[in-house]
Amino acid sequence: MTVKKFHLEHICRVEGHGNLLVEIDGNKSKNVEMQIVEGTRFFEGFAVGRKYDEAINIMSRICAICSTSHQLSAVEALERSVSIVPSDQVHEFRVLLDHGENLQSHILHVGMLALPDFLGYDGVIQMVPKYPNEVKLILRMKRIANDLQALIGGREIHPVNIRPGGFGNYPTTRQLEEMKDKLVEFKKGTQTIADLYATLDIPQFKNKTEQLAVYDGKTYPFIRGDIKSLLSGKITPPEDYKKDFIKEEVKPYSTAKFSTINDGEIYYVSPLARVNINSKFLTDDAKALIKQFGMKLPDFNPFNNNLARVIELMHCADEAIEILDKYIMKPPKEDNKNFRIKAGTGTIATEAPRGLLNHSYDVNKEGIIQRVDVITPTAHNTNKIEDDVVKFTPKLTDMKDDEIELFFNMLVRSYDPCISCSTHAITIDLRRTK
Amino acid sequence: MAKPQIGIVGFTGCAGCQLSLLDLEDELLDLLNLVDIIDFRMAMTGNKEGPYDILFVEGSIVNDKQEEEIKELRKKATVLVAMGSCACFGGVQAMRNYRDDKKIREAAYGKEGAKNFPVFQVKPINKVVDVDHYLLECPVNKYEFLDFVKYVLIGGTPKLPNLPVCHQCKALENRCIFLEDNIICMGPVIQAGCGALCPSHGMPCDGCRGSTLEAAYQQQVDLMIKKGASVQDVSRFVLKYNGEDPQVKDFLLKAWQEQDKNLQYGEEEEK
Ligand code: SF4
Ligand code: SF4
């Protein structure tokens, strides 16, 4: 039997540089490597020695598309380190800003990065002649999501308005009202996108593995909560994320780390994991989409991440409208800007658009950072992507080579990997050691 | 005139500059009528590697392989534009050029292990190949990107602005948080063009657009110290996005020699 070798170099329509190497022998995969080849940047190294309030802007440069998540995680964890307690208003505006990011990241993914695969195009640019209205709708929705990020965060990418204890300034009632109208329009658009996705032929593949998501037992949380495991039901407080739980290792072909839980168990994090774990707490219109898509929860098909993203578009738009309504009635007050800081450790688990994100800091009494640790969603998922390839390969025997190649490309894209994110850490080419 | 063939490529950064171009939702469709995007891996499959009339490059160069790649790309591009702080001045990762890189590696892999890892200075694009134009900000200012494309389409040569952020901040009648509230702000030495975005939110200018030509760093630092900054504070404020901005580098190396021994500039490529 000949060994077929697929080397998908520089997977497109993902953020950053990654390759996938698969060697198929008969109907089994022999060797699978998710090779992340993005250059490393050493964030944990150079954030040490910075003051706690400066690090917020620096950490967001780990990744553009999750820049809001990184800033929010950094600010929340750093506040814990130095014992600053933000007000409820601050928390709600952070959720609002975070939803701006979720909406923009998800509409970008379902509309511009994934949809071309299902409709058979190279990219959204090439879809314009045949699908002008759909492309216009997607661009309009993306604009609205970005407007929300810019209104609260000051800029669409790498917000400028976040600081310990709150925000630089708040929008006016007028601006909040305009934003609400736009989000109502966004919701309508989401239904159109959902109707489109309901007709698509989504590959049916299952890989039943453990999934993790932030959980608080009351809401569909993105910013604060514990880490819940779907299958075992285990609940881990954020500060125990490395205590007999998540372990990271380095593989010689990748500049990103690979993680496992509970000594070697493969797991994953994603919008689908969130829907699986927290579906109870979705808004009614979002729950209606689960029904429309005919999903049976818990769902273990990674391709259904796209459906989970559409469900979250609905949920986040709903919740954002609710928060806007509240502060249209009762305009936000200025934040307290004077606090005393203490030395300490702050660790937090949040949900970036792609899944669980951990930030942890030690800060001394002068406010200078002594230690930083970050695990990004893509670093959580690299093992799972390889595992999917191994499990799905025996089912691909009827496919032609170019179909197999497209299938693997789509599989990797379904994780919406954020490769610049995954290589923020201190990991370098290890091949030289062998 | 045939439509210009445009490429958009990324080296080491956060992909935010490329993403910013996708954030031109209202202008994207019009733009596509005027130019052909032949290479944009983050957004599409089926890319062509040149020849490019204009090649926009994001990110900094952090290893030998990238150095080879950018040299090859340069040969295929008529005009090469560095886009964003990473490409123009090294970006936040250039901070590590000022650290004892060996220590960082040793902390992760132990003394013996660290010997296996190559040291490589973070380089802005113009340290490796010629750059024809610079587009500033972190992420790149998408409107300046559009202006640049328009200039090229009508055959003009765009110029870099040379005004400090304070200029735009004053025009907006913002309260000066540096003078009035003693919050350290980099506005006086940083290139305008962002519309004084941070000061307009009551936040200090973080310096992501690089220095104005002949920026008065000494005066800026004197004022920072008068407003209560320590020597360490000063180096941290000056060194953020622009470690390889020649003015920042000259200033910091001089300051380091004179007083702040904590700051080190790494060795060039010890291999
Ligand atoms: S300049 Fe800023 S936005 Fe652009 S790639 Fe670098 S860090 Fe990202
Ligand atoms: S706030 Fe900053 S940018 Fe604005 S005038 Fe003062 S120093 Fe200049």
Side-chain angles (χ1 to χ4, degrees):
Chain A
M1 210 33 133
T2 50
V3 178
K4 271 194 209 160
K5 195 166 169 179
F6 294 90
H7 198 191
L8 318 183
E9 287 210 45
H10 201 149
I11 297 165
C12 297
R13 279 187 265 135
V14 301
E15 208 207 24
H17 309 257
N19 308 331
L20 180 71
L21 174 78
V22 188
E23 284 172 14
I24 301 182
D25 187 356
N27 67 355
K28 278 218 182 82
S29 57
K30 227 179 82 189
N31 185 21
V32 181
E33 294 180 358
M34 179 70 219
Q35 304 166 332
I36 307 273
V37 294
E38 178 88 30
T40 45
R41 285 182 299 159
F42 300 87
F43 269 84
E44 277 103 337
F46 58 69
V48 169
R50 287 274 157 183
K51 218 164 176 170
Y52 73 101
D53 53 350
E54 298 161 13
I56 299 166
N57 284 353
I58 292 171
M59 296 313 279
S60 87
R61 267 70 189 180
I62 289 177
C63 162
I65 200 162
C66 319
S67 54
T68 300
S69 288
H70 280 294
Q71 283 205 8
L72 290 174
S73 309
V75 75
E76 290 258 334
L78 285 160
E79 282 170 347
R80 282 172 198 210
S81 318
V82 298
S83 309
I84 293 174
V85 183
S87 67
D88 289 348
Q89 169 186 314
V90 169
H91 178 64
E92 281 174 324
F93 271 84
R94 283 180 185 164
V95 172
L96 186 57
L97 172 60
D98 194 49
H99 284 348
E101 177 181 77
N102 292 326
L103 296 182
Q104 118 74 34
S105 174
H106 284 357
I107 191 68
L108 173 76
H109 189 86
V110 295
M112 298 169 89
L113 304 181
L115 197 55
D117 282 331
F118 293 111
L119 300 177
Y121 288 87
D122 278 346
V124 74
I125 294 170
Q126 289 76 8
M127 276 169 51
V128 176
K130 185 88 189 289
Y131 293 93
N133 293 332
E134 285 77 0
V135 174
K136 271 192 199 133
L137 174 69
I138 290 161
L139 286 173
R140 173 69 189 149
M141 289 171 71
K142 198 163 148 344
R143 180 72 258 149
I144 293 173
N146 268 330
D147 285 348
L148 176 56
Q149 291 206 89
L151 180 68
I152 315 295
R155 178 160 62 190
E156 294 107 332
I157 300 171
H158 301 317
V160 301
N161 198 22
I162 299 176
R163 52 171 196 76
F167 288 89
N169 58 15
Y170 285 97
T172 61
T173 306
R174 183 72 203 277
Q175 287 171 314
L176 295 176
E177 281 168 354
E178 283 169 10
M179 196 64 241
K180 183 190 159 182
D181 292 343
K182 289 187 197 165
L183 282 173
V184 171
E185 184 189 338
F186 190 100
K187 260 197 80 173
K188 275 204 202 111
T190 302
Q191 192 55 54
T192 311
I193 300 285
D195 295 343
L196 180 63
Y197 262 88
T199 64
L200 298 178
D201 201 5
I202 293 176
Q204 293 304 319
F205 286 88
K206 267 187 201 146
N207 183 6
K208 190 169 174 183
T209 43
E210 187 60 283
Q211 308 186 1
L212 309 182
V214 172
Y215 176 81
D216 68 8
K218 304 189 288 282
T219 65
Y220 193 96
F222 283 88
I223 299 183
R224 290 177 191 165
D226 297 324
I227 306 167
K228 180 164 179 180
S229 309
L230 173 71
L231 297 177
S232 73
K234 177 175 163 186
I235 291 181
T236 313
E239 51 281 5
D240 293 347
Y241 71 123
K242 285 205 160 159
K243 217 190 258 166
D244 300 322
F245 197 43
I246 299 168
K247 276 212 184 72
E248 293 183 292
E249 54 159 344
V250 178
K251 292 193 187 179
Y253 48 79
S254 177
T255 51
K257 289 181 182 171
F258 287 69
S259 351
T260 51
I261 47 171
N262 311 328
D263 277 325
E265 188 181 347
I266 291 176
Y267 68 100
Y268 97 119
V269 305
S270 65
L272 187 60
R274 288 195 289 259
V275 169
N276 282 336
I277 289 174
N278 287 313
S279 63
K280 258 209 311 223
F281 308 108
L282 285 166
T283 62
D284 292 342
D285 289 350
K287 278 183 190 148
L289 294 183
I290 301 182
K291 243 197 174 153
Q292 184 180 355
F293 295 142
M295 286 168 85
K296 295 244 166 359
L297 301 183
D299 186 314
F300 295 96
N301 178 1
F303 293 98
N304 281 351
N305 265 311
N306 286 313
L307 302 181
R309 287 183 191 106
V310 179
I311 293 166
E312 289 194 341
L313 284 176
M314 193 61 95
H315 174 83
C316 295
D318 275 335
E319 243 186 42
I321 291 173
E322 207 177 291
I323 298 172
L324 285 168
D325 272 337
K326 175 168 173 190
Y327 288 98
I328 288 169
M329 297 298 292
K330 181 181 82 108
K333 294 196 285 287
E334 266 213 40
D335 300 318
N336 169 23
K337 289 187 179 155
N338 301 313
F339 9 69
R340 277 247 176 80
I341 61 161
K342 285 194 214 132
T345 296
T347 303
I348 186 155
T350 59
E351 289 287 339
R354 284 145 196 75
L356 183 67
L357 169 65
N358 308 81
H359 272 230
S360 177
Y361 303 82
D362 287 348
V363 182
N364 72 11
K365 64 179 193 309
E366 278 80 44
I368 304 290
I369 295 175
Q370 307 295 310
R371 180 195 60 89
V372 182
D373 185 50
V374 173
I375 312 182
T376 64
T378 301
H380 284 298
N381 281 342
T382 30
N383 263 328
K384 168 73 161 61
I385 297 177
E386 291 187 351
D387 189 54
D388 278 356
V389 174
V390 173
K391 300 250 166 72
F392 298 162
T393 300
K395 299 181 186 149
L396 305 180
T397 36
D398 299 339
M399 284 191 191
K400 291 198 218 67
D401 284 5
D402 55 339
E403 286 170 351
I404 296 183
E405 214 171 299
L406 176 66
F407 175 86
F408 286 142
N409 265 302
M410 284 173 70
L411 176 67
V412 174
R413 277 198 281 276
S414 77
Y415 286 83
D416 199 4
C418 200
I419 292 173
S420 4
C421 246
S422 64
T423 58
H424 66 284
I426 311 179
T427 50
I428 322 176
D429 191 348
L430 266 172
R431 258 165 293 197
R432 296 164 145 262
T433 56
K434 299 272 154 66
Chain B
M1 190 174 112
K3 282 192 191 176
Q5 308 280 297
I6 290 196
I8 298 158
V9 296
F11 286 91
T12 293
C14 75
C17 294
Q18 300 182 65
L19 194 65
S20 272
L21 305 188
L22 290 178
D23 282 349
L24 283 164
E25 296 94 356
D26 296 342
E27 296 85 2
L28 204 61
L29 296 180
D30 291 336
L31 185 68
L32 291 173
N33 287 328
L34 298 170
V35 302
D36 269 338
I37 298 184
I38 58 165
D39 192 358
F40 192 0
R41 290 179 198 180
M42 188 173 131
M44 60 194 217
T45 37
N47 296 291
K48 268 201 305 194
E49 265 212 24
Y52 313 99
D53 292 313
I54 316 173
L55 180 65
F56 293 94
V57 182
E58 171 203 83
S60 55
I61 302 298
V62 304
N63 58 38
D64 292 331
K65 198 166 154 257
Q66 292 184 343
E67 199 160 327
E68 292 307 307
E69 275 171 35
I70 184 73
K71 283 183 184 153
E72 282 308 306
L73 285 171
R74 172 72 261 196
K75 290 184 201 151
K76 296 176 192 158
T78 314
V79 173
L80 188 145
V81 182
M83 173 169 84
S85 305
C86 295
C88 296
F89 311 115
V92 285
Q93 56 271 24
M95 279 192 271
R96 77 177 165 91
N97 291 359
Y98 293 79
R99 284 287 184 78
D100 188 345
D101 213 25
K102 238 164 99 197
K103 247 192 225 150
I104 297 180
R105 287 171 297 134
E106 282 178 8
Y109 296 104
K111 250 203 166 79
E112 275 311 300
K115 286 188 188 148
N116 294 305
F117 304 125
V119 178
F120 194 96
Q121 292 275 294
V122 173
K123 293 179 184 176
I125 303 300
N126 69 4
K127 262 204 158 177
V128 185
V129 296
D130 286 339
V131 170
D132 300 298
H133 193 76
Y134 299 87
L135 291 172
L136 305 176
E137 214 161 308
C138 175
V140 72
N141 189 304
K142 57 187 183 180
Y143 299 110
E144 288 181 343
F145 165 86
L146 271 190
D147 282 347
F148 177 81
V149 175
K150 283 188 220 158
Y151 265 115
V152 172
L153 286 170
I154 57 171
T157 350
K159 270 204 216 126
L160 273 178
N162 187 32
L163 288 170
V165 173
C166 292
H167 186 90
Q168 287 187 317
C169 188
K170 291 255 162 58
L172 287 163
E173 300 184 357
N174 289 335
R175 174 190 173 89
C176 176
I177 51 175
F178 196 5
L179 293 180
E180 293 183 41
D181 305 330
N182 299 336
I183 296 174
I184 309 293
C185 179
M186 294 302 287
V189 286
I190 298 298
Q191 189 71 256
C194 54
L197 186 67
C198 301
S200 301
H201 282 89
M203 305 290 276
C205 166
D206 216 18
C208 74
R209 288 177 57 91
S211 326
T212 53
L213 306 175
E214 287 153 36
Y217 270 99
Q218 194 55 57
Q219 269 123 297
Q220 166 74 1
V221 168
D222 291 345
L223 187 58
M224 286 160 87
I225 291 187
K226 211 170 120 199
K227 293 291 181 187
S230 69
V231 175
Q232 274 80 5
D233 290 341
V234 169
S235 352
R236 287 202 325 269
F237 273 105
V238 175
L239 178 61
K240 256 184 212 164
Y241 303 88
N242 311 314
E244 291 295 324
D245 172 344
Q247 294 186 71
V248 166
K249 195 161 152 182
D250 286 353
F251 181 81
L252 283 173
L253 292 185
K254 210 168 124 246
W256 164 60
Q257 276 159 6
E258 282 167 11
Q259 27 192 331
D260 184 2
K261 299 277 192 288
N262 292 327
L263 199 67
Q264 297 200 6
Y265 192 81
E267 304 281 295
E268 276 288 334
E269 277 170 75
E270 102 190 18
K271 271 193 193 153

